[in-house]
Amino acid sequence: MMRIAPVLAAALMVSIGPASADTARLAWPLRPRPAITRAFDAPSPDWQRGHRGVDLAGVPGQPVYAAGPATVVFAGRLAGRPVVSLAHAGGLRTSYEPVEATVRVGQLVDSSTPLGRLLPGHAGCPAEACLHWGALWGPASRADYVDPLGLLASTPIRLKPLAG
């Protein structure tokens, strides 16, 4: 599952056609490009412990941007934490926390749209503030966590043979 993100990104580009392939790849949600303070570590099976996203170093109040074209599907508190969640084309969902939202449910966004401001207080963050950025692929009933870093436009897609 951990190496599935580049394959999923390639599949998304094929499914949406060549005219919009560049828009299928994501942009960094913090700018300038942030340091990664905690990497993706998907649990297997899904209900086990793990880290279902990446943590990115930031500063309190820093704008958090949509990673790509999407619709806001959640902006509020979830389990006591401020979260923004986006639905992208092809069944990809991304989430951003802790973010004080400036967007509303149903709003169309793109990589130039600020979703809100980064808040301090993310557990285990070694910086002033950290953005937890997560990604899910597929229908909610059987969605897979994917590493959002593998979906970035700056990450090259390398297809490798299945048998080695």
Side-chain angles (χ1 to χ4, degrees):
M1 187 169 12
M2 292 175 71
R3 302 229 189 267
I4 200 166
V7 174
L8 291 174
L12 177 60
M13 285 189 282
V14 169
S15 71
I16 61 176
S20 57
D22 290 338
T23 62
R25 301 301 298 275
L26 301 181
W28 288 96
L30 294 179
R31 298 173 192 152
R33 181 180 175 164
I36 300 163
T37 64
R38 187 170 176 199
F40 179 76
D41 181 21
S44 182
D46 283 345
W47 50 268
Q48 291 283 353
R49 292 181 63 169
H51 193 237
R52 295 163 174 87
V54 295
D55 291 346
L56 307 174
V59 295
Q62 180 176 0
V64 176
Y65 294 90
T71 302
V72 178
V73 292
F74 184 83
R77 296 189 80 74
L78 182 64
R81 296 178 302 232
V83 177
V84 176
S85 182
L86 305 179
H88 302 264
L92 177 68
R93 287 189 182 236
T94 55
S95 61
Y96 311 77
E97 68 173 271
V99 175
E100 180 182 23
T102 56
V103 292
R104 66 188 184 292
V105 171
Q107 183 176 339
L108 299 177
V109 296
D110 63 30
S111 60
S112 68
T113 308
L115 301 175
R117 301 253 172 229
L118 182 61
L119 298 174
H122 183 64
C125 176
E128 291 180 74
C130 286
L131 175 69
H132 178 81
W133 183 32
L136 281 169
W137 194 282
S141 63
R142 61 181 202 279
D144 290 316
Y145 292 100
V146 294
D147 183 348
L149 299 180
L151 302 173
L152 288 166
S154 59
T155 302
I157 294 176
R158 293 186 178 94
L159 301 178
K160 297 181 180 184
L162 293 175

mmCIF file of all heavy atoms in Angstrom, residues 49-84:
data_model
loop_
_atom_site.group_PDB
_atom_site.id
_atom_site.type_symbol
_atom_site.label_atom_id
_atom_site.label_comp_id
_atom_site.label_asym_id
_atom_site.label_seq_id
_atom_site.Cartn_x
_atom_site.Cartn_y
_atom_site.Cartn_z
ATOM 1 N N ARG A 49 -2.356 0.639 14.349
ATOM 2 C CA ARG A 49 -1.686 1.927 14.550
ATOM 3 C C ARG A 49 -0.806 2.249 13.353
ATOM 4 O O ARG A 49 -0.280 1.358 12.705
ATOM 5 C CB ARG A 49 -0.837 1.878 15.814
ATOM 6 C CG ARG A 49 -1.668 1.793 17.064
ATOM 7 C CD ARG A 49 -0.803 1.768 18.270
ATOM 8 N NE ARG A 49 -0.080 3.040 18.318
ATOM 9 C CZ ARG A 49 0.608 3.446 19.358
ATOM 10 N NH1 ARG A 49 0.703 2.716 20.430
ATOM 11 N NH2 ARG A 49 1.226 4.604 19.347
ATOM 12 N N GLY A 50 -0.646 3.518 13.084
ATOM 13 C CA GLY A 50 0.204 3.979 11.992
ATOM 14 C C GLY A 50 0.055 5.471 11.832
ATOM 15 O O GLY A 50 -0.583 6.138 12.658
ATOM 16 N N HIS A 51 0.639 6.017 10.816
ATOM 17 C CA HIS A 51 0.527 7.450 10.531
ATOM 18 C C HIS A 51 -0.048 7.595 9.140
ATOM 19 O O HIS A 51 0.620 7.335 8.147
ATOM 20 C CB HIS A 51 1.897 8.129 10.647
ATOM 21 C CG HIS A 51 1.804 9.610 10.675
ATOM 22 N ND1 HIS A 51 2.452 10.396 9.767
ATOM 23 C CD2 HIS A 51 1.141 10.446 11.499
ATOM 24 C CE1 HIS A 51 2.184 11.670 10.035
ATOM 25 N NE2 HIS A 51 1.396 11.722 11.080
ATOM 26 N N ARG A 52 -1.294 8.015 9.066
ATOM 27 C CA ARG A 52 -2.083 8.003 7.836
ATOM 28 C C ARG A 52 -1.984 9.313 7.062
ATOM 29 O O ARG A 52 -2.955 9.798 6.515
ATOM 30 C CB ARG A 52 -3.538 7.690 8.178
ATOM 31 C CG ARG A 52 -3.716 6.293 8.730
ATOM 32 C CD ARG A 52 -5.052 6.152 9.445
ATOM 33 N NE ARG A 52 -5.306 4.801 9.869
ATOM 34 C CZ ARG A 52 -4.892 4.281 11.025
ATOM 35 N NH1 ARG A 52 -4.185 5.018 11.868
ATOM 36 N NH2 ARG A 52 -5.171 3.036 11.337
ATOM 37 N N GLY A 53 -0.816 9.861 7.019
ATOM 38 C CA GLY A 53 -0.559 11.106 6.313
ATOM 39 C C GLY A 53 0.881 11.510 6.547
ATOM 40 O O GLY A 53 1.703 10.686 6.965
ATOM 41 N N VAL A 54 1.192 12.762 6.272
ATOM 42 C CA VAL A 54 2.522 13.302 6.548
ATOM 43 C C VAL A 54 2.355 14.571 7.362
ATOM 44 O O VAL A 54 1.334 15.260 7.261
ATOM 45 C CB VAL A 54 3.319 13.598 5.248
ATOM 46 C CG1 VAL A 54 3.618 12.322 4.492
ATOM 47 C CG2 VAL A 54 2.607 14.587 4.361
ATOM 48 N N ASP A 55 3.339 14.872 8.184
ATOM 49 C CA ASP A 55 3.347 16.115 8.943
ATOM 50 C C ASP A 55 4.367 17.049 8.319
ATOM 51 O O ASP A 55 5.514 16.649 8.056
ATOM 52 C CB ASP A 55 3.688 15.868 10.412
ATOM 53 C CG ASP A 55 2.588 15.122 11.148
ATOM 54 O OD1 ASP A 55 1.465 15.018 10.614
ATOM 55 O OD2 ASP A 55 2.851 14.652 12.272
ATOM 56 N N LEU A 56 3.946 18.291 8.066
ATOM 57 C CA LEU A 56 4.769 19.295 7.418
ATOM 58 C C LEU A 56 4.996 20.459 8.371
ATOM 59 O O LEU A 56 4.043 20.975 8.960
ATOM 60 C CB LEU A 56 4.081 19.790 6.139
ATOM 61 C CG LEU A 56 3.653 18.705 5.144
ATOM 62 C CD1 LEU A 56 2.852 19.330 4.002
ATOM 63 C CD2 LEU A 56 4.855 17.947 4.623
ATOM 64 N N ALA A 57 6.250 20.893 8.524
ATOM 65 C CA ALA A 57 6.587 21.992 9.434
ATOM 66 C C ALA A 57 6.079 23.313 8.882
ATOM 67 O O ALA A 57 6.209 23.596 7.686
ATOM 68 C CB ALA A 57 8.093 22.055 9.646
ATOM 69 N N GLY A 58 5.507 24.117 9.760
ATOM 70 C CA GLY A 58 5.025 25.436 9.382
ATOM 71 C C GLY A 58 5.117 26.387 10.558
ATOM 72 O O GLY A 58 5.774 26.080 11.553
ATOM 73 N N VAL A 59 4.443 27.508 10.427
ATOM 74 C CA VAL A 59 4.377 28.478 11.522
ATOM 75 C C VAL A 59 2.909 28.805 11.782
ATOM 76 O O VAL A 59 2.088 28.792 10.852
ATOM 77 C CB VAL A 59 5.175 29.767 11.202
ATOM 78 C CG1 VAL A 59 6.658 29.472 11.081
ATOM 79 C CG2 VAL A 59 4.684 30.440 9.940
ATOM 80 N N PRO A 60 2.565 29.098 13.028
ATOM 81 C CA PRO A 60 1.174 29.434 13.321
ATOM 82 C C PRO A 60 0.697 30.607 12.465
ATOM 83 O O PRO A 60 1.421 31.583 12.255
ATOM 84 C CB PRO A 60 1.206 29.815 14.799
ATOM 85 C CG PRO A 60 2.403 29.105 15.356
ATOM 86 C CD PRO A 60 3.406 29.109 14.233
ATOM 87 N N GLY A 61 -0.509 30.480 11.927
ATOM 88 C CA GLY A 61 -1.093 31.533 11.105
ATOM 89 C C GLY A 61 -0.739 31.447 9.629
ATOM 90 O O GLY A 61 -1.274 32.200 8.814
ATOM 91 N N GLN A 62 0.152 30.543 9.264
ATOM 92 C CA GLN A 62 0.564 30.385 7.869
ATOM 93 C C GLN A 62 -0.619 29.916 7.026
ATOM 94 O O GLN A 62 -1.379 29.049 7.449
ATOM 95 C CB GLN A 62 1.700 29.360 7.799
ATOM 96 C CG GLN A 62 2.220 29.114 6.416
ATOM 97 C CD GLN A 62 3.428 28.160 6.428
ATOM 98 O OE1 GLN A 62 3.875 27.693 7.472
ATOM 99 N NE2 GLN A 62 3.946 27.886 5.246
ATOM 100 N N PRO A 63 -0.807 30.467 5.819
ATOM 101 C CA PRO A 63 -1.885 29.992 4.958
ATOM 102 C C PRO A 63 -1.666 28.535 4.545
ATOM 103 O O PRO A 63 -0.542 28.123 4.268
ATOM 104 C CB PRO A 63 -1.816 30.898 3.724
ATOM 105 C CG PRO A 63 -0.961 32.052 4.110
ATOM 106 C CD PRO A 63 -0.067 31.586 5.216
ATOM 107 N N VAL A 64 -2.751 27.777 4.516
ATOM 108 C CA VAL A 64 -2.743 26.399 4.038
ATOM 109 C C VAL A 64 -3.556 26.394 2.748
ATOM 110 O O VAL A 64 -4.695 26.868 2.738
ATOM 111 C CB VAL A 64 -3.364 25.431 5.070
ATOM 112 C CG1 VAL A 64 -3.441 24.023 4.516
ATOM 113 C CG2 VAL A 64 -2.576 25.465 6.370
ATOM 114 N N TYR A 65 -2.966 25.880 1.669
ATOM 115 C CA TYR A 65 -3.595 25.911 0.356
ATOM 116 C C TYR A 65 -4.155 24.544 -0.026
ATOM 117 O O TYR A 65 -3.647 23.511 0.402
ATOM 118 C CB TYR A 65 -2.579 26.344 -0.709
ATOM 119 C CG TYR A 65 -2.124 27.762 -0.538
ATOM 120 C CD1 TYR A 65 -1.008 28.063 0.240
ATOM 121 C CD2 TYR A 65 -2.818 28.806 -1.133
ATOM 122 C CE1 TYR A 65 -0.588 29.378 0.415
ATOM 123 C CE2 TYR A 65 -2.407 30.125 -0.964
ATOM 124 C CZ TYR A 65 -1.299 30.398 -0.190
ATOM 125 O OH TYR A 65 -0.901 31.701 -0.024
ATOM 126 N N ALA A 66 -5.177 24.572 -0.874
ATOM 127 C CA ALA A 66 -5.671 23.329 -1.464
ATOM 128 C C ALA A 66 -4.527 22.751 -2.299
ATOM 129 O O ALA A 66 -3.794 23.484 -2.957
ATOM 130 C CB ALA A 66 -6.882 23.607 -2.349
ATOM 131 N N ALA A 67 -4.393 21.432 -2.275
ATOM 132 C CA ALA A 67 -3.315 20.788 -3.018
ATOM 133 C C ALA A 67 -3.626 20.690 -4.513
ATOM 134 O O ALA A 67 -2.735 20.434 -5.311
ATOM 135 C CB ALA A 67 -3.043 19.401 -2.447
ATOM 136 N N GLY A 68 -4.885 20.921 -4.886
ATOM 137 C CA GLY A 68 -5.276 20.849 -6.287
ATOM 138 C C GLY A 68 -6.753 21.147 -6.426
ATOM 139 O O GLY A 68 -7.442 21.406 -5.428
ATOM 140 N N PRO A 69 -7.265 21.101 -7.647
ATOM 141 C CA PRO A 69 -8.689 21.372 -7.870
ATOM 142 C C PRO A 69 -9.555 20.373 -7.101
ATOM 143 O O PRO A 69 -9.301 19.165 -7.139
ATOM 144 C CB PRO A 69 -8.864 21.181 -9.378
ATOM 145 C CG PRO A 69 -7.495 21.195 -9.957
ATOM 146 C CD PRO A 69 -6.558 20.766 -8.887
ATOM 147 N N ALA A 70 -10.563 20.892 -6.401
ATOM 148 C CA ALA A 70 -11.395 20.031 -5.554
ATOM 149 C C ALA A 70 -12.629 20.790 -5.096
ATOM 150 O O ALA A 70 -12.792 21.983 -5.361
ATOM 151 C CB ALA A 70 -10.596 19.561 -4.343
ATOM 152 N N THR A 71 -13.466 20.060 -4.367
ATOM 153 C CA THR A 71 -14.635 20.633 -3.698
ATOM 154 C C THR A 71 -14.468 20.419 -2.204
ATOM 155 O O THR A 71 -14.096 19.316 -1.774
ATOM 156 C CB THR A 71 -15.934 19.927 -4.168
ATOM 157 O OG1 THR A 71 -16.036 20.071 -5.590
ATOM 158 C CG2 THR A 71 -17.163 20.521 -3.499
ATOM 159 N N VAL A 72 -14.729 21.442 -1.421
ATOM 160 C CA VAL A 72 -14.663 21.320 0.038
ATOM 161 C C VAL A 72 -15.830 20.446 0.489
ATOM 162 O O VAL A 72 -16.983 20.755 0.191
ATOM 163 C CB VAL A 72 -14.725 22.696 0.732
ATOM 164 C CG1 VAL A 72 -14.710 22.544 2.249
ATOM 165 C CG2 VAL A 72 -13.592 23.599 0.258
ATOM 166 N N VAL A 73 -15.528 19.333 1.182
ATOM 167 C CA VAL A 73 -16.582 18.445 1.669
ATOM 168 C C VAL A 73 -16.728 18.500 3.186
ATOM 169 O O VAL A 73 -17.722 18.024 3.728
ATOM 170 C CB VAL A 73 -16.380 16.982 1.198
ATOM 171 C CG1 VAL A 73 -16.570 16.880 -0.307
ATOM 172 C CG2 VAL A 73 -15.033 16.433 1.621
ATOM 173 N N PHE A 74 -15.742 19.080 3.877
ATOM 174 C CA PHE A 74 -15.849 19.252 5.324
ATOM 175 C C PHE A 74 -14.951 20.403 5.736
ATOM 176 O O PHE A 74 -13.811 20.519 5.262
ATOM 177 C CB PHE A 74 -15.427 17.981 6.074
ATOM 178 C CG PHE A 74 -15.625 18.085 7.565
ATOM 179 C CD1 PHE A 74 -16.861 17.830 8.128
ATOM 180 C CD2 PHE A 74 -14.579 18.465 8.390
ATOM 181 C CE1 PHE A 74 -17.056 17.954 9.503
ATOM 182 C CE2 PHE A 74 -14.760 18.592 9.759
ATOM 183 C CZ PHE A 74 -15.998 18.328 10.306
ATOM 184 N N ALA A 75 -15.443 21.254 6.611
ATOM 185 C CA ALA A 75 -14.664 22.346 7.191
ATOM 186 C C ALA A 75 -15.233 22.601 8.582
ATOM 187 O O ALA A 75 -16.290 23.198 8.721
ATOM 188 C CB ALA A 75 -14.738 23.596 6.326
ATOM 189 N N GLY A 76 -14.564 22.090 9.586
ATOM 190 C CA GLY A 76 -15.056 22.241 10.954
ATOM 191 C C GLY A 76 -14.234 21.401 11.910
ATOM 192 O O GLY A 76 -13.097 21.049 11.626
ATOM 193 N N ARG A 77 -14.839 21.060 13.042
ATOM 194 C CA ARG A 77 -14.143 20.283 14.058
ATOM 195 C C ARG A 77 -14.532 18.815 13.951
ATOM 196 O O ARG A 77 -15.701 18.481 13.788
ATOM 197 C CB ARG A 77 -14.453 20.828 15.435
ATOM 198 C CG ARG A 77 -13.927 22.263 15.585
ATOM 199 C CD ARG A 77 -13.998 22.785 16.980
ATOM 200 N NE ARG A 77 -12.942 22.344 17.870
ATOM 201 C CZ ARG A 77 -11.676 22.763 17.843
ATOM 202 N NH1 ARG A 77 -11.304 23.618 16.927
ATOM 203 N NH2 ARG A 77 -10.807 22.334 18.710
ATOM 204 N N LEU A 78 -13.529 17.968 14.038
ATOM 205 C CA LEU A 78 -13.721 16.531 14.002
ATOM 206 C C LEU A 78 -12.874 15.951 15.134
ATOM 207 O O LEU A 78 -11.659 16.170 15.163
ATOM 208 C CB LEU A 78 -13.281 15.968 12.650
ATOM 209 C CG LEU A 78 -13.466 14.482 12.435
ATOM 210 C CD1 LEU A 78 -14.955 14.118 12.460
ATOM 211 C CD2 LEU A 78 -12.865 14.072 11.108
ATOM 212 N N ALA A 79 -13.526 15.263 16.066
ATOM 213 C CA ALA A 79 -12.842 14.717 17.244
ATOM 214 C C ALA A 79 -12.062 15.806 17.971
ATOM 215 O O ALA A 79 -10.955 15.596 18.451
ATOM 216 C CB ALA A 79 -11.934 13.564 16.843
ATOM 217 N N GLY A 80 -12.634 17.010 18.020
ATOM 218 C CA GLY A 80 -12.019 18.122 18.730
ATOM 219 C C GLY A 80 -10.927 18.856 17.978
ATOM 220 O O GLY A 80 -10.328 19.781 18.511
ATOM 221 N N ARG A 81 -10.648 18.455 16.740
ATOM 222 C CA ARG A 81 -9.587 19.088 15.947
ATOM 223 C C ARG A 81 -10.181 19.799 14.739
ATOM 224 O O ARG A 81 -11.083 19.274 14.091
ATOM 225 C CB ARG A 81 -8.585 18.039 15.478
ATOM 226 C CG ARG A 81 -7.845 17.360 16.625
ATOM 227 C CD ARG A 81 -6.911 16.318 16.088
ATOM 228 N NE ARG A 81 -7.654 15.338 15.305
ATOM 229 C CZ ARG A 81 -7.588 14.033 15.476
ATOM 230 N NH1 ARG A 81 -6.807 13.536 16.379
ATOM 231 N NH2 ARG A 81 -8.279 13.219 14.717
ATOM 232 N N PRO A 82 -9.643 20.984 14.397
ATOM 233 C CA PRO A 82 -10.126 21.694 13.208
ATOM 234 C C PRO A 82 -9.556 21.072 11.933
ATOM 235 O O PRO A 82 -8.347 20.971 11.758
ATOM 236 C CB PRO A 82 -9.620 23.119 13.406
ATOM 237 C CG PRO A 82 -8.436 22.987 14.317
ATOM 238 C CD PRO A 82 -8.659 21.754 15.151
ATOM 239 N N VAL A 83 -10.461 20.638 11.041
ATOM 240 C CA VAL A 83 -10.081 19.886 9.845
ATOM 241 C C VAL A 83 -10.773 20.468 8.619
ATOM 242 O O VAL A 83 -11.918 20.901 8.689
ATOM 243 C CB VAL A 83 -10.508 18.398 9.990
ATOM 244 C CG1 VAL A 83 -10.202 17.608 8.727
ATOM 245 C CG2 VAL A 83 -9.856 17.754 11.198
ATOM 246 N N VAL A 84 -10.070 20.442 7.497
ATOM 247 C CA VAL A 84 -10.657 20.728 6.190
ATOM 248 C C VAL A 84 -10.420 19.491 5.338
ATOM 249 O O VAL A 84 -9.313 18.935 5.325
ATOM 250 C CB VAL A 84 -10.022 21.969 5.526
ATOM 251 C CG1 VAL A 84 -10.587 22.175 4.118
ATOM 252 C CG2 VAL A 84 -10.245 23.214 6.375
#
